[in-house]
Amino acid sequence: MTQLPDEHFVDTAPYDPEEERSKPARPDLDAPNWLLIWRKFRRHKLGLISALFLAVSYLMIPFAGFIAPYTANERNPDHIYAAPQMVRLFHEGKFIGPFVYPENAVRDLEQFRWRYPSDRENPAKLEFFCEGGTHYFLALFKTNRHLFCAPEGATVFLWGADRLGRDVFSRIFYGAQLSMTVGLIGITVSFILGISIGGIAGYFGGAIDWFVNRIIEILRSIPELPLWLALSAAVPSHWGPVAVFFIISIILGLLDWPGLARAVRSKFLSLREEEFVRAAEMMGAKPSRVIRKHLLPNFSSHLIASAMLSIPAMILGETALSFLGLGLRAPAVSWGVMLNDAQNLASIEIYPWTAIPMLPVIFVVLAFNFLGDALRDSLDPYSHD
Amino acid sequence: MNSHEKPLLQVRDLAIGFGSADPIIRNINFDVQRGETVALVGESGSGKTQTCRAVLRILPKAARIHSGSAYLNSDSGGIDLLAMSEKELREIRGDRISMIFQEPMHSLSPLHKIGDQVSEVLILHRDHNKRSAKEIVLQKFERVGFPDPERVFRSYPFELSGGMRQRAMIAMAMVAKPDLLIADEPTTALDVTTQAQVLGLIKDLQRETGMAVILVTHDLGVVANCADKVVVMRDGKIMESGRVSNVLDDPGHAYTRKLIAAAPNIPHEAEPTSARVIEDPILQLENISKSFDLRGGGFMRKGGIIKAVEGVNLTVARGKTFAIVGESGSGKSTVAQIALGARSPDAGGVIKYWPDSGDSAVEVQKLSGDAKRSFQRQAQMVFQDPFSSLSPRMQVIDILTEPLEIHEIGTRSERKDRAIELLEQVDLDPTMLRRFPHAFSGGQRQRLSIARALALKPNLLVCDEPTSALDLSVQMQVLDLLEEIRDNLGLSYLFISHDLAVVARIADEVAVMRRGQIIEQAAPDVLFTAPKHPYTKALIAACLEPDTTQKIDLEAVALGAGNPKTWPEQFRFNGLTAPDLVETEPGHFVRVEL
């Protein structure tokens, strides 16, 4: 460091005016796009946890029948509205492995309800890889093996039983199979419609764009719930649960596309103005090549993020419809169908566990929202902050 | 020591970092005396903006001040701005220190009337009521040069042009009579003539009120004209600082010398030229006009028509550079796009292209199908923004081979060889092939963009402001490269720029455009030494060189850049009928009434 007279300061550290020209100026960005997105996404703890939670949840879906101790519609007439049981490890201060205390129904004639005092004398040890009701393992093999079940003479209702004595815990797993996939099917429908319609509007512009936008506005102005109700009321009542399930998810998808179409359209318009797209056009690239090589890769990640944010709406939609009795119907099991039982205020007050299916709905919807937000934030990995 | 002798602002040992990493900006020391202008100069990423923002503590969220102090001294003693609470700091911001930002488009709230936004400072800090505040604001508006302060007071930001908005920002910063004004690149987003006027205004106001100014800029020309002291920064460190005359006339650091050498020079002498007849043209535009429909947004409505380009004639000679200069909205980029066939001109316009000397001319506007593709192979474009012209999803090799793929030239390995050859042509290393463009600096990316334009071995390159998004030192390197390529490969350029100084260096012939018309055209040295048109004179007067002896001639700038109705009579036009372009001297065309 030199301090020359008259406040003239000059740094004396060595300096080479001819720097290397091909050295990456931003070594921190010297990686493919997906890696940059991942690095940024990794810093969103909430998003990361949500992604993990959703991954585990979806991985469990094919094994639902195996994990659940009971099958979906297995009734225990002796245990109507049984309270949640605890899995214990220590009996009278001694470790004997996981067990439950068996419960026997007693009529409470004062309050007119069933009580299930537990039999503290005879601990019933849980059995593992035991035989129970038949289910389809991985949806392929018919089997009657379960991860765990109660021994003869005892029951294991981790989250209680409902008005027909069905296990809430098991039914939540079975319900996940429908409730969590309804969003995926719905989003597929909505994606196909949204991308094609939004893409057409964005690419051709002009009158087509105008019409698409007006249709979107009209669709968005229709109150959602009555329209769902009307559409699902039109589903013939004699259709099987699977058919109804598909129809419901398609209905949800049909009503969800306008939001996605708008996102696609605006992204399309802004990308078309990017200079690299104009460069390709000026080099003589055909529209199909421009779309394939330049437009799609650059907005696929945005699409994924908007999909993540749309799925919760579908899950809530299914739950709402089924809750109102217009979506899936028994014997199909979904979280909404289960909550249908909890419509009665009295039963929630006396048997609060019938409302437990709300919890998975809340967790899954929150997880999708967090994940979607985190993804959206990490999609532009080039900015530095 | 009496506090009056202390500097107004003393920044000591300032260090700023991002997140938990080591400080990026370190060892920053400088003083600002009362009434003095200190310029922070540096290229992008040098930390000059973060340094000045640290003083007001308006850094981005991730940034952290590691150490240092910034004493603001007054009669009642000094206070450390970096150690104050947020609440105390609010008393200082906008009152004793105010700030002007770079983007006049984004720094005013679009929802509030300009008058209300400016009055807010007075109401907050000076206990004025609405009426008394308005009076002061109107005076200030008049002072910053608004012809009708009342109207501006009632306007929303979108009703004003960029320069007018920056004036409103200045009025807002000045209204509380601050001791210190921090101007963060206040003129970078503006046209050169507007820049000269805004800088002149800041200087005038400073002289009147005696405030100190911290001027953040990348332009040594601005420093030479406006500042008393200069701090040269690079990579978060001060390279050199001192009085402007000392630093610019006798730079002590190699980096300062490099910056000064990179500043463009304007020729001051001209050799007499003769009328040049272009014998071997490559591209000729005849009577090119372009009007756009202003779409009303619906399919049933029709908006008005706007004329972007009107009656442009020009000829690019083979192996030479023809430059078009103009400010934003002059229609220069539209001409470039028309020349490449990317837009079609209005009926009557003819674009002639000669693939090789002696060939017969091809009319570009009529081409289609294979003939058009063959033209697109021979005429390429270099874009302005190196950050948006390369797809972030493609590796360098894919970017460079894409033109070859589109035109189905060569096998995979041949294309790869060509890509390596291209990288070498633009002075880049072949190890870049598998990397992604976002890892590289603006200059490196612009080289890639040029390499891509060369991939098809074109004859003609249209460069649309290829250097205006780059730092000065990089700008020079890119211009060097463009010249070298032109001479080695025998290319012809149609070069678009807003910067006369850049054009002076590279062009063989320059046309100045204003509102869609060419108003003067000549060889660059003629144009710079003997400009005829008031607008050209204004452009030249507004060019700032890193030379402390030259000062801006604000009157010439104001006259030429103003409304064409105020030009001297022989040049005047009212938007409909302009004088014709006439050859006043051999090879020198001016739009003038003789």
Side-chain angles (χ1 to χ4, degrees), chain B residues 100-250:
Chain B
I100 308 175
F101 296 91
Q102 176 174 354
E103 259 309 328
M105 301 289 170
H106 301 152
S107 43
L108 288 165
S109 159
L111 291 178
H112 297 101
K113 287 180 187 154
I114 298 216
D116 293 341
Q117 294 187 51
V118 179
S119 319
E120 195 182 5
V121 184
L122 289 173
I123 295 166
L124 283 178
H125 289 295
R126 292 282 186 269
D127 295 326
H128 276 284
N129 59 29
K130 271 204 153 176
R131 189 178 309 164
S132 63
K134 181 172 177 181
E135 226 167 84
I136 298 175
V137 170
L138 287 179
Q139 280 169 14
K140 268 292 173 253
F141 277 174
E142 202 165 349
R143 182 60 202 89
V144 298
F146 286 124
D148 186 357
E150 274 283 352
R151 197 182 61 83
V152 174
F153 195 91
R154 289 191 310 267
S155 309
Y156 287 94
F158 65 85
E159 296 175 68
L160 304 182
S161 69
M164 285 296 159
R165 256 180 268 198
Q166 203 59 307
R167 278 169 200 270
M169 271 303 287
I170 292 173
M172 183 151 131
M174 294 295 304
V175 75
K177 297 208 177 83
D179 299 333
L180 177 63
L181 175 70
I182 299 177
D184 183 6
E185 306 240 13
T187 57
T188 307
L190 305 177
D191 285 326
V192 273
T193 52
T194 322
Q195 152 166 314
Q197 291 170 2
V198 167
L199 290 176
L201 174 65
I202 293 178
K203 274 215 86 108
D204 279 356
L205 290 169
Q206 186 180 14
R207 211 172 300 133
E208 275 167 36
T209 60
M211 66 175 175
V213 176
I214 296 179
L215 183 67
V216 178
T217 180
H218 65 277
D219 188 344
L220 283 177
V222 171
V223 176
N225 274 279
C226 298
D228 303 304
K229 279 201 289 196
V230 59
V231 177
V232 182
M233 291 185 69
R234 179 177 167 273
D235 280 348
K237 279 175 70 185
I238 295 182
M239 295 283 112
E240 182 165 1
S241 66
R243 303 216 70 79
V244 168
S245 48
N246 290 350
V247 174
L248 290 190
D249 298 343
D250 181 21

Side-chain angles (χ1 to χ4, degrees), chain A residues 1 5-11 13 15 17 19-27 29-33 36-37 206-207 210-211 274-276 278-286 289 293-294 297-298 300-301 379 382 385, chain B residues 62 229 234 238-243 246-247 250 252-255 258 295 297-299 337 342 373 376 380-381 383-385 388-394 402-403 405-407 427-429 435-436 438-441 444 452:
Chain A
M1 242 180 254
D6 198 13
E7 301 177 54
H8 192 162
F9 160 87
V10 178
D11 188 71
Y15 164 74
E19 286 152 275
E20 210 189 320
R21 280 184 181 161
S22 299
K23 206 180 79 196
R26 296 281 301 273
L29 290 183
D30 188 16
N33 201 280
L36 294 176
I37 293 184
W210 190 90
F211 276 115
E274 291 279 337
E275 284 185 345
F276 65 84
R278 291 204 0 240
E281 281 172 352
M282 280 189 169
M283 281 185 278
K286 296 194 179 80
R289 188 189 161 90
K293 284 264 177 183
H294 292 285
N298 275 293
S300 55
S301 45
L379 284 179
Y382 317 113
D385 57 295
Chain B
K229 279 201 289 196
R234 179 177 167 273
I238 295 182
M239 295 283 112
E240 182 165 1
S241 66
R243 303 216 70 79
N246 290 350
V247 174
D250 181 21
H253 198 279
Y255 181 67
K258 182 181 161 192
R295 265 200 296 174
F299 79 113
Q337 287 163 1
R373 280 164 69 83
Q376 280 169 332
Q380 291 288 319
M381 183 144 177
F383 289 87
Q384 172 176 6
D385 181 3
S388 108
S389 60
L390 305 172
S391 169
R393 303 286 155 135
M394 287 166 99
E402 190 185 19
E405 262 177 53
I406 290 173
H407 291 274
D427 263 343
L428 291 171
D429 202 278
R435 294 213 152 100
F436 285 82
H438 37 251
F440 297 101
S441 70
Q444 288 166 327
R452 175 179 62 185

Side-chain angles (χ1 to χ4, degrees), chain A residues 68-324:
Chain A
Y70 298 93
T71 54
N73 289 310
E74 196 172 329
R75 293 174 57 181
N76 280 289
D78 297 339
H79 289 85
I80 287 166
Y81 285 130
Q85 283 172 285
M86 207 151 47
V87 176
R88 296 162 201 267
L89 293 172
F90 295 94
H91 177 62
E92 290 170 353
K94 223 168 69 199
F95 178 81
I96 57 165
F99 69 93
V100 289
Y101 289 119
E103 293 178 342
N104 286 306
V106 174
R107 260 175 295 212
D108 178 348
L109 289 178
E110 274 171 33
Q111 293 186 12
F112 289 103
R113 57 175 288 192
W114 289 97
R115 291 200 181 277
Y116 298 91
S118 47
D119 174 5
R120 295 263 166 180
E121 301 300 308
N122 303 307
K125 282 174 77 172
L126 290 182
E127 290 172 11
F128 289 92
F129 300 103
C130 47
E131 289 183 1
T134 50
H135 61 92
Y136 284 91
F137 183 69
L138 285 175
L140 290 175
F141 317 105
K142 201 171 176 183
T143 171
N144 55 5
R145 290 279 162 199
H146 290 260
L147 179 62
F148 66 97
C149 39
E152 275 297 310
T155 54
V156 53
F157 297 128
L158 293 180
W159 290 341
D162 66 4
R163 75 189 152 87
L164 295 175
R166 295 173 298 195
D167 180 25
V168 173
F169 179 79
S170 303
R171 280 169 66 79
I172 281 178
F173 275 84
Y174 281 99
Q177 289 181 323
L178 292 189
S179 288
M180 286 180 67
T181 44
V182 76
L184 298 188
I185 295 175
I187 207 70
T188 315
V189 174
S190 142
F191 238 68
I192 294 167
L193 284 172
I195 291 176
S196 40
I197 296 177
I200 288 168
Y203 194 83
F204 293 104
I208 296 179
D209 188 29
W210 190 90
F211 276 115
V212 168
N213 270 308
R214 296 301 87 76
I215 290 171
I216 288 176
E217 275 153 21
I218 292 168
L219 270 178
R220 293 220 131 180
S221 68
I222 300 172
E224 264 189 354
L225 204 59
L227 188 64
W228 281 345
L229 294 182
L231 283 176
S232 19
V235 179
S237 53
H238 60 268
W239 283 15
V242 177
V244 173
F245 166 71
F246 275 105
I247 284 294
I248 294 288
S249 18
I250 288 167
I251 288 173
L252 290 171
L254 281 177
L255 294 179
D256 184 70
W257 67 264
L260 202 67
R262 269 195 177 170
V264 169
R265 171 183 168 270
S266 60
K267 194 72 199 153
F268 223 98
L269 289 177
S270 71
L271 271 177
R272 284 208 71 175
E273 292 302 310
E274 291 279 337
E275 284 185 345
F276 65 84
V277 176
R278 291 204 0 240
E281 281 172 352
M282 280 189 169
M283 281 185 278
K286 296 194 179 80
S288 63
R289 188 189 161 90
V290 172
I291 294 178
R292 205 160 26 93
K293 284 264 177 183
H294 292 285
L295 297 179
L296 279 182
N298 275 293
F299 75 46
S300 55
S301 45
H302 286 263
L303 289 183
I304 293 170
S306 26
M308 286 301 160
L309 292 171
S310 302
I311 291 177
M314 306 246 172
I315 293 179
L316 286 176
E318 184 276 331
T319 310
L321 280 182
S322 306
F323 177 77
L324 293 171

